[in-house]
Amino acid sequence: MQVHLNELARLRIEGHPRGVTSVCSAHPIVLRAALRHGRQQASTVLIEATCNQVNHLGGYTGMTPSDFASLVGKIAVEEGCPENLIVLGGDHLGPNPWRDRSAEEAMAEAEKMVAAYVEAGFRKIHLDASMGCKGEPVALDDETTAHRAARLAAVAEASAKKTGGAMPVYVIGTEVPPPGGADHALTTIEPTAAAAALETIEVHRRIFAEAGLGQAFGRAIGLVVQPGVEFGNQNVILYDRSKIDALKSVLTKEPQFVFEAHSTDYQGTRPLTALVEDGFPILKVGPELTFVLREALYALDAIASDLLPDYGQRPLYQAMEALMLDQPGNWSRHYHGTNAEMRWLRHYSLSDRIRYYWASAEAQDAVRQLCEALRGQIVPLPLLWQHLPAAQDFADAPLDPEQLLIWRVTKSLSDYHAACGVGKN
């Protein structure tokens, strides 16, 4: 069943909470799995790109918002996913990629980025101007953040009017974990204080009104807060609903809003369901999806090594290790310890910083060679039991490696889909 973003608050108030999974990934296999699953379930497919990943200058993926929208559209056509099920979102849109520059320079780039997102068809916009620029504090106060958010909202509004179609819906607030998870072992995470959440809403409402953006603020559907969930490199803090009674009261006072939950990766169906029930119906997931994709790729790599005499000993693993050692920029500041500890973290950390490398030519070549080696091969059941037991249904039949990869990603998406359907009737 399709759920529209602007229905989430009403459904919660009426006692029939429903959720939407926000897929935060640019990997084509993850996107294909999400679009196929959405078509099969006739459910909303919310796909989001972040400011560092995709922007008007290309981001770390090399894609502009238009490029990203075209990629999603192409895969959607191939998968037969109706366009009306798909929502594109922009996450953390603000000056963050340029925060080493002056605030005015960074905001000028952020305005260009927001315009590019909206003109490309993105209609869920998370306004995040909370991080300080050159010479400013690391985190800015609500007043400064809201003024910059309003400035970006004005650009989004003008761009939407110029290109036509629906006007954007907005998410405000920035109290979130570090992108991609924490770098250290975690013991506990404190939820956002209710007073802080209310202050964020009130300051934004006032400043948007002063800027003549009252209608835009009326389309603000979500507030980003910390529900007390997080994952580090090697552990996960599961949701504890007993800690958020005060925070939940914010939604009673501000019925326009729901909460958006970031870093919900690795929670599992039961905590995710509780999050949706408690007012967090927008569940963002990213690293988990590429983590399980890597899990399946490495399992196939091991199977091919055991099954095919000429394949070699885990050449995909070896290629990724060489690539990450040659280009350490995406992991070296996040993984710490002995050489042995950093080696396993490079491949298996829950923060999954290996995901930044799959788009490289070396990785794509290694994945292609793996899939070509195994395509059509009969994989004995014991080998699947050894390396990827849950995939036993793929045993003893000609293997389609790509379908196995999509299946593995879909297993995680199914946990989210089950949680998002709380109390459906």
Side-chain angles (χ1 to χ4, degrees):
M1 175 180 172
Q2 186 176 12
V3 177
H4 297 286
L5 297 178
N6 57 11
E7 297 177 321
L8 295 172
R10 176 181 59 80
L11 289 168
R12 181 193 64 80
I13 292 168
E14 293 175 353
H16 305 292
R18 298 289 300 278
V20 175
T21 306
S22 171
V23 174
C24 303
S25 178
H27 197 294
I29 291 177
V30 172
L31 296 177
R32 188 174 298 278
L35 290 160
R36 182 179 299 182
H37 186 257
R39 186 251 303 162
Q40 292 171 342
Q41 302 296 329
S43 60
T44 303
V45 186
L46 173 57
I47 296 174
E48 302 211 45
T50 67
C51 60
N52 290 306
Q53 179 188 60
V54 172
N55 59 51
H56 61 296
L57 301 177
Y60 70 72
T61 63
M63 285 190 284
T64 65
S66 179
D67 295 332
F68 186 84
S70 295
L71 173 63
V72 172
K74 175 179 178 292
I75 297 173
V77 169
E78 293 169 355
E79 291 297 328
C81 183
E83 186 177 349
N84 68 298
L85 292 180
I86 303 168
V87 179
L88 296 179
D91 199 24
H92 295 290
L93 298 193
N96 183 53
W98 306 281
R99 66 183 185 273
D100 59 336
R101 306 185 191 180
S102 70
E104 188 52 43
E105 286 183 86
M107 283 297 295
E109 292 295 340
E111 287 180 323
K112 295 174 188 175
M113 175 178 64
V114 168
Y117 265 87
V118 176
E119 289 170 12
F122 290 72
R123 286 299 182 269
K124 176 184 177 289
I125 304 298
H126 174 208
L127 300 169
D128 182 359
S130 65
M131 293 185 180
C133 298
K134 186 176 181 180
E136 296 182 324
V138 174
L140 300 177
D141 59 87
D142 275 339
E143 192 89 8
T144 304
T145 298
H147 276 291
R148 293 180 184 178
R151 179 173 165 181
L152 297 176
V155 172
E157 294 287 289
S159 298
K161 289 173 183 174
K162 181 175 76 172
T163 56
M167 295 300 287
V169 298
Y170 297 101
V171 173
I172 61 171
T174 55
E175 191 164 340
V176 297
D183 296 340
H184 55 281
L186 302 167
T187 55
T188 185
I189 298 289
E190 288 302 313
T192 300
L198 288 168
E199 177 71 7
T200 295
I201 294 173
E202 184 50 41
V203 170
H204 279 73
R205 177 181 283 120
R206 172 173 54 81
I207 288 174
F208 271 58
E210 291 170 355
L213 293 166
Q215 286 189 341
F217 191 83
R219 281 182 264 109
I221 61 166
L223 176 69
V224 177
V225 294
Q226 171 55 269
V229 303
E230 175 58 298
F231 58 95
N233 284 327
Q234 52 189 301
N235 72 322
V236 179
I237 303 296
L238 296 176
Y239 179 56
D240 181 353
R241 68 194 324 174
S242 70
K243 293 184 176 181
I244 68 145
D245 286 344
L247 184 56
K248 282 168 59 176
S249 69
V250 171
L251 298 180
T252 302
K253 297 173 183 175
E254 293 284 355
Q256 170 182 338
F257 288 89
V258 295
F259 293 135
E260 178 169 281
H262 290 227
S263 293
T264 67
D265 308 69
Y266 312 110
Q267 289 287 312
T269 301
R270 184 174 296 177
L272 292 172
T273 300
L275 279 164
V276 175
E277 290 174 340
D278 291 345
F280 296 86
I282 304 174
L283 301 174
K284 301 185 82 78
V285 58
E288 177 183 342
L289 302 179
T290 42
F291 180 93
V292 300
L293 173 63
R294 190 272 319 144
E295 173 191 60
L297 282 166
Y298 276 16
L300 291 178
D301 193 37
I303 286 170
S305 295
D306 286 344
L307 186 66
L308 307 173
D310 298 330
Y311 178 70
Q313 284 303 306
R314 299 187 67 189
L316 173 61
Y317 176 95
Q318 300 300 337
M320 298 307 292
E321 174 71 354
L323 180 60
M324 288 187 286
L325 288 176
D326 185 57
Q327 302 175 28
N330 288 314
W331 62 266
S332 59
R333 291 179 294 109
H334 304 274
Y335 300 155
H336 310 286
T338 66
N339 288 338
E341 288 168 336
M342 287 191 289
R343 181 183 176 92
W344 77 255
L345 284 167
R346 282 193 291 274
H347 297 273
Y348 305 114
S349 165
L350 296 179
S351 67
D352 192 56
R353 301 196 70 83
I354 195 174
R355 70 186 184 277
Y356 295 102
Y357 296 89
W358 292 115
S360 70
E362 298 91 332
Q364 290 188 39
D365 285 345
V367 170
R368 188 179 306 110
Q369 291 169 15
L370 168 63
C371 291
E372 289 174 356
L374 281 177
R375 188 171 293 111
Q377 295 287 338
I378 306 296
V379 179
L381 178 63
L383 270 185
L384 279 168
W385 276 359
Q386 176 63 35
H387 297 296
L388 195 62
Q392 64 179 23
D393 289 347
F394 288 88
D396 301 324
L399 182 67
D400 184 334
E402 290 83 1
Q403 296 309 310
L404 186 147
L405 298 174
I406 291 170
W407 160 83
R408 182 61 190 93
V409 175
T410 303
K411 274 179 61 64
S412 283
L413 289 172
S414 296
D415 289 343
Y416 279 82
H417 183 73
C420 288
V422 172
K424 63 183 178 182
N425 46 32

